[in-house]
mmCIF file of all heavy atoms in Angstrom:
data_model
loop_
_atom_site.group_PDB
_atom_site.id
_atom_site.type_symbol
_atom_site.label_atom_id
_atom_site.label_comp_id
_atom_site.label_asym_id
_atom_site.label_seq_id
_atom_site.Cartn_x
_atom_site.Cartn_y
_atom_site.Cartn_z
ATOM 1 N N ILE E 300 105.390 -35.312 -92.092
ATOM 2 C CA ILE E 300 106.881 -35.193 -92.446
ATOM 3 C C ILE E 300 107.430 -36.599 -92.551
ATOM 4 O O ILE E 300 107.104 -37.499 -91.806
ATOM 5 C CB ILE E 300 107.482 -34.493 -91.259
ATOM 6 C CG1 ILE E 300 107.171 -32.975 -91.235
ATOM 7 C CG2 ILE E 300 109.093 -34.569 -91.486
ATOM 8 C CD1 ILE E 300 107.504 -32.170 -90.079
ATOM 9 N N GLY E 372 110.286 -18.200 -88.816
ATOM 10 C CA GLY E 372 110.593 -19.390 -89.339
ATOM 11 C C GLY E 372 110.249 -19.418 -90.817
ATOM 12 O O GLY E 372 109.420 -18.660 -91.341
ATOM 13 N N ALA E 373 110.866 -20.267 -91.584
ATOM 14 C CA ALA E 373 110.635 -20.252 -93.087
ATOM 15 C C ALA E 373 110.578 -21.796 -93.632
ATOM 16 O O ALA E 373 110.945 -22.058 -94.685
ATOM 17 C CB ALA E 373 111.764 -19.543 -93.833
ATOM 18 N N GLY E 374 110.233 -22.696 -92.672
ATOM 19 C CA GLY E 374 110.108 -24.033 -93.138
ATOM 20 C C GLY E 374 108.804 -24.456 -93.642
ATOM 21 O O GLY E 374 108.011 -23.604 -94.161
ATOM 22 N N GLY E 375 108.328 -25.748 -93.582
ATOM 23 C CA GLY E 375 107.061 -26.291 -94.073
ATOM 24 C C GLY E 375 105.873 -25.504 -93.623
ATOM 25 O O GLY E 375 105.037 -25.163 -94.315
ATOM 26 N N ALA E 376 105.873 -25.343 -92.186
ATOM 27 C CA ALA E 376 104.587 -24.767 -91.614
ATOM 28 C C ALA E 376 104.535 -23.322 -92.043
ATOM 29 O O ALA E 376 103.494 -22.797 -92.449
ATOM 30 C CB ALA E 376 104.711 -24.884 -90.059
ATOM 31 N N ALA E 377 105.576 -22.629 -91.971
ATOM 32 C CA ALA E 377 105.658 -21.225 -92.372
ATOM 33 C C ALA E 377 105.308 -21.069 -93.794
ATOM 34 O O ALA E 377 104.468 -20.151 -94.196
ATOM 35 C CB ALA E 377 107.018 -20.606 -92.117
ATOM 36 N N ASN E 395 113.761 -15.253 -90.286
ATOM 37 C CA ASN E 395 114.263 -16.622 -90.114
ATOM 38 C C ASN E 395 115.677 -16.666 -89.833
ATOM 39 O O ASN E 395 116.516 -15.707 -90.236
ATOM 40 C CB ASN E 395 113.984 -17.451 -91.431
ATOM 41 C CG ASN E 395 114.209 -18.903 -91.264
ATOM 42 O OD1 ASN E 395 113.716 -19.399 -90.318
ATOM 43 N ND2 ASN E 395 114.933 -19.484 -92.229
ATOM 44 N N ARG E 396 116.265 -17.759 -89.109
ATOM 45 C CA ARG E 396 117.695 -17.867 -88.861
ATOM 46 C C ARG E 396 118.440 -17.840 -90.134
ATOM 47 O O ARG E 396 119.363 -17.121 -90.220
ATOM 48 C CB ARG E 396 117.882 -19.182 -88.052
ATOM 49 C CG ARG E 396 119.246 -19.504 -87.747
ATOM 50 C CD ARG E 396 119.241 -20.832 -86.994
ATOM 51 N NE ARG E 396 118.715 -21.912 -87.636
ATOM 52 C CZ ARG E 396 118.612 -23.183 -87.044
ATOM 53 N NH1 ARG E 396 119.010 -23.346 -85.974
ATOM 54 N NH2 ARG E 396 118.096 -24.181 -87.881
ATOM 55 N N THR E 397 118.113 -18.582 -91.078
ATOM 56 C CA THR E 397 118.734 -18.575 -92.285
ATOM 57 C C THR E 397 117.895 -17.573 -93.206
ATOM 58 O O THR E 397 116.905 -17.797 -93.875
ATOM 59 C CB THR E 397 118.648 -20.036 -93.132
ATOM 60 O OG1 THR E 397 119.106 -20.904 -91.954
ATOM 61 C CG2 THR E 397 119.566 -20.044 -94.196
ATOM 62 N N ARG E 400 116.792 -18.311 -96.880
ATOM 63 C CA ARG E 400 115.614 -19.134 -96.976
ATOM 64 C C ARG E 400 114.428 -18.161 -96.883
ATOM 65 O O ARG E 400 113.309 -18.449 -97.649
ATOM 66 C CB ARG E 400 115.672 -20.181 -95.893
ATOM 67 C CG ARG E 400 114.725 -21.309 -96.139
ATOM 68 C CD ARG E 400 114.978 -22.370 -95.136
ATOM 69 N NE ARG E 400 114.055 -23.571 -95.227
ATOM 70 C CZ ARG E 400 113.841 -24.450 -94.251
ATOM 71 N NH1 ARG E 400 114.597 -24.501 -93.112
ATOM 72 N NH2 ARG E 400 113.008 -25.475 -94.499
ATOM 73 N N LEU E 420 116.606 -12.944 -87.792
ATOM 74 C CA LEU E 420 116.055 -12.984 -86.519
ATOM 75 C C LEU E 420 116.607 -11.828 -85.585
ATOM 76 O O LEU E 420 115.941 -11.358 -84.681
ATOM 77 C CB LEU E 420 116.525 -14.337 -85.755
ATOM 78 C CG LEU E 420 115.755 -15.581 -86.238
ATOM 79 C CD1 LEU E 420 116.349 -16.883 -85.495
ATOM 80 C CD2 LEU E 420 114.314 -15.481 -86.170
ATOM 81 N N CYS E 434 106.492 -20.191 -86.223
ATOM 82 C CA CYS E 434 106.480 -21.407 -87.055
ATOM 83 C C CYS E 434 107.855 -22.125 -86.841
ATOM 84 O O CYS E 434 108.383 -22.830 -87.838
ATOM 85 C CB CYS E 434 106.227 -21.132 -88.560
ATOM 86 S SG CYS E 434 104.658 -20.489 -88.852
ATOM 87 N N THR E 435 108.586 -21.827 -85.819
ATOM 88 C CA THR E 435 109.795 -22.644 -85.458
ATOM 89 C C THR E 435 109.511 -23.580 -84.462
ATOM 90 O O THR E 435 108.480 -23.374 -83.620
ATOM 91 C CB THR E 435 110.975 -21.643 -85.080
ATOM 92 O OG1 THR E 435 110.770 -21.332 -83.844
ATOM 93 C CG2 THR E 435 111.083 -20.415 -85.937
ATOM 94 N N PRO E 436 110.496 -24.405 -84.128
ATOM 95 C CA PRO E 436 110.215 -25.473 -83.023
ATOM 96 C C PRO E 436 110.643 -24.894 -81.639
ATOM 97 O O PRO E 436 110.646 -25.606 -80.669
ATOM 98 C CB PRO E 436 110.870 -26.699 -83.430
ATOM 99 C CG PRO E 436 111.903 -26.240 -84.465
ATOM 100 C CD PRO E 436 111.609 -24.913 -85.064
ATOM 101 N N ILE E 437 111.197 -23.617 -81.645
ATOM 102 C CA ILE E 437 111.720 -23.138 -80.448
ATOM 103 C C ILE E 437 110.585 -23.005 -79.376
ATOM 104 O O ILE E 437 109.609 -22.291 -79.508
ATOM 105 C CB ILE E 437 112.312 -21.725 -80.597
ATOM 106 C CG1 ILE E 437 113.407 -21.938 -81.698
ATOM 107 C CG2 ILE E 437 113.027 -21.247 -79.380
ATOM 108 C CD1 ILE E 437 114.043 -20.611 -82.146
ATOM 109 N N MET E 439 109.292 -25.903 -78.034
ATOM 110 C CA MET E 439 108.536 -27.172 -78.054
ATOM 111 C C MET E 439 109.189 -28.077 -77.050
ATOM 112 O O MET E 439 110.344 -28.072 -76.698
ATOM 113 C CB MET E 439 108.817 -27.801 -79.505
ATOM 114 C CG MET E 439 107.911 -28.905 -79.824
ATOM 115 S SD MET E 439 107.824 -29.175 -81.602
ATOM 116 C CE MET E 439 109.402 -29.938 -81.862
ATOM 117 N N THR E 463 102.495 -22.024 -83.270
ATOM 118 C CA THR E 463 101.985 -23.281 -84.080
ATOM 119 C C THR E 463 102.405 -24.403 -83.217
ATOM 120 O O THR E 463 101.918 -25.514 -83.496
ATOM 121 C CB THR E 463 102.630 -23.312 -85.457
ATOM 122 O OG1 THR E 463 103.939 -23.442 -85.475
ATOM 123 C CG2 THR E 463 102.100 -22.219 -86.369
ATOM 124 N N ILE E 464 103.354 -24.312 -82.301
ATOM 125 C CA ILE E 464 103.616 -25.373 -81.482
ATOM 126 C C ILE E 464 102.401 -25.993 -80.609
ATOM 127 O O ILE E 464 101.763 -25.073 -80.164
ATOM 128 C CB ILE E 464 104.770 -25.132 -80.398
ATOM 129 C CG1 ILE E 464 106.066 -24.831 -81.237
ATOM 130 C CG2 ILE E 464 105.025 -26.170 -79.405
ATOM 131 C CD1 ILE E 464 107.226 -24.309 -80.489
ATOM 132 N N TYR E 465 102.171 -27.291 -80.587
ATOM 133 C CA TYR E 465 100.969 -27.667 -79.723
ATOM 134 C C TYR E 465 101.529 -28.474 -78.552
ATOM 135 O O TYR E 465 100.665 -28.895 -77.828
ATOM 136 C CB TYR E 465 100.066 -28.450 -80.631
ATOM 137 C CG TYR E 465 100.667 -29.699 -81.368
ATOM 138 C CD1 TYR E 465 100.828 -30.896 -80.694
ATOM 139 C CD2 TYR E 465 100.994 -29.546 -82.683
ATOM 140 C CE1 TYR E 465 101.349 -31.979 -81.316
ATOM 141 C CE2 TYR E 465 101.412 -30.677 -83.298
ATOM 142 C CZ TYR E 465 101.610 -31.905 -82.680
ATOM 143 O OH TYR E 465 102.141 -32.960 -83.269
ATOM 144 N N GLY E 486 98.895 -23.749 -80.919
ATOM 145 C CA GLY E 486 99.135 -24.606 -81.955
ATOM 146 C C GLY E 486 98.136 -25.761 -81.938
ATOM 147 O O GLY E 486 97.756 -26.423 -82.923
ATOM 148 N N MET E 489 95.164 -25.175 -84.306
ATOM 149 C CA MET E 489 95.557 -25.587 -85.731
ATOM 150 C C MET E 489 95.555 -27.053 -85.832
ATOM 151 O O MET E 489 95.003 -27.600 -86.881
ATOM 152 C CB MET E 489 96.972 -24.962 -85.983
ATOM 153 C CG MET E 489 97.553 -25.348 -87.385
ATOM 154 S SD MET E 489 99.165 -24.618 -87.598
ATOM 155 C CE MET E 489 99.717 -25.429 -89.029
ATOM 156 N N PHE E 490 96.242 -27.712 -84.852
ATOM 157 C CA PHE E 490 96.233 -29.183 -84.979
ATOM 158 C C PHE E 490 94.808 -29.851 -85.027
ATOM 159 O O PHE E 490 94.548 -30.740 -85.782
ATOM 160 C CB PHE E 490 97.004 -29.809 -83.800
ATOM 161 C CG PHE E 490 97.357 -31.260 -83.942
ATOM 162 C CD1 PHE E 490 98.345 -31.621 -84.805
ATOM 163 C CD2 PHE E 490 96.553 -32.086 -83.166
ATOM 164 C CE1 PHE E 490 98.534 -32.994 -84.860
ATOM 165 C CE2 PHE E 490 96.898 -33.563 -83.292
ATOM 166 C CZ PHE E 490 97.885 -33.859 -84.121
HETATM 167 P P1 NAP C 1 110.796 -27.193 -90.658
HETATM 168 O O1 NAP C 1 110.407 -27.175 -92.027
HETATM 169 O O2 NAP C 1 111.924 -27.970 -90.188
HETATM 170 O O3 NAP C 1 111.204 -25.606 -90.295
HETATM 171 C C1 NAP C 1 111.721 -25.235 -88.970
HETATM 172 C C2 NAP C 1 111.964 -23.723 -89.106
HETATM 173 O O4 NAP C 1 112.428 -23.409 -87.775
HETATM 174 C C3 NAP C 1 113.007 -23.213 -89.994
HETATM 175 O O5 NAP C 1 112.783 -21.946 -90.543
HETATM 176 C C4 NAP C 1 114.287 -23.169 -89.181
HETATM 177 O O6 NAP C 1 115.190 -22.161 -89.534
HETATM 178 C C5 NAP C 1 113.676 -22.725 -87.908
HETATM 179 N N1 NAP C 1 114.476 -23.289 -86.774
HETATM 180 C C6 NAP C 1 114.502 -24.529 -86.315
HETATM 181 N N2 NAP C 1 115.307 -24.569 -85.089
HETATM 182 C C7 NAP C 1 115.775 -23.238 -84.911
HETATM 183 C C8 NAP C 1 116.571 -22.660 -84.008
HETATM 184 N N3 NAP C 1 117.196 -23.385 -82.975
HETATM 185 N N4 NAP C 1 116.688 -21.402 -83.933
HETATM 186 C C9 NAP C 1 116.150 -20.570 -84.863
HETATM 187 N N5 NAP C 1 115.357 -21.095 -85.893
HETATM 188 C C10 NAP C 1 115.148 -22.405 -85.805
HETATM 189 O O7 NAP C 1 109.637 -27.497 -89.608
HETATM 190 P P2 NAP C 1 108.071 -27.200 -89.915
HETATM 191 O O8 NAP C 1 107.449 -28.322 -90.498
HETATM 192 O O9 NAP C 1 107.887 -25.853 -90.567
HETATM 193 O O10 NAP C 1 107.500 -27.169 -88.365
HETATM 194 C C11 NAP C 1 107.950 -26.068 -87.556
HETATM 195 C C12 NAP C 1 107.110 -26.067 -86.221
HETATM 196 O O11 NAP C 1 105.650 -25.801 -86.575
HETATM 197 C C13 NAP C 1 106.986 -27.452 -85.600
HETATM 198 O O12 NAP C 1 108.042 -27.601 -84.718
HETATM 199 C C14 NAP C 1 105.628 -27.544 -85.013
HETATM 200 O O13 NAP C 1 105.723 -27.148 -83.644
HETATM 201 C C15 NAP C 1 104.831 -26.511 -85.766
HETATM 202 N N6 NAP C 1 103.685 -27.172 -86.488
HETATM 203 C C16 NAP C 1 102.630 -27.215 -85.997
HETATM 204 C C17 NAP C 1 101.490 -27.798 -86.513
HETATM 205 C C18 NAP C 1 100.041 -27.893 -85.840
HETATM 206 O O14 NAP C 1 99.212 -28.447 -86.462
HETATM 207 N N7 NAP C 1 99.894 -27.009 -84.801
HETATM 208 C C19 NAP C 1 101.596 -28.338 -87.887
HETATM 209 C C20 NAP C 1 102.904 -28.249 -88.469
HETATM 210 C C21 NAP C 1 103.950 -27.700 -87.787
HETATM 211 P P3 NAP C 1 116.301 -22.464 -90.712
HETATM 212 O O15 NAP C 1 115.662 -22.259 -92.046
HETATM 213 O O16 NAP C 1 117.384 -21.458 -90.368
HETATM 214 O O17 NAP C 1 116.767 -23.940 -90.475
#
Side-chain angles (χ1 to χ4, degrees):
I300 291 168
N395 196 44
R396 180 175 59 182
T397 310
R400 201 175 175 194
L420 291 178
C434 296
T435 77
I437 302 171
M439 193 162 80
T463 63
I464 291 172
Y465 57 81
M489 173 180 171
F490 189 75

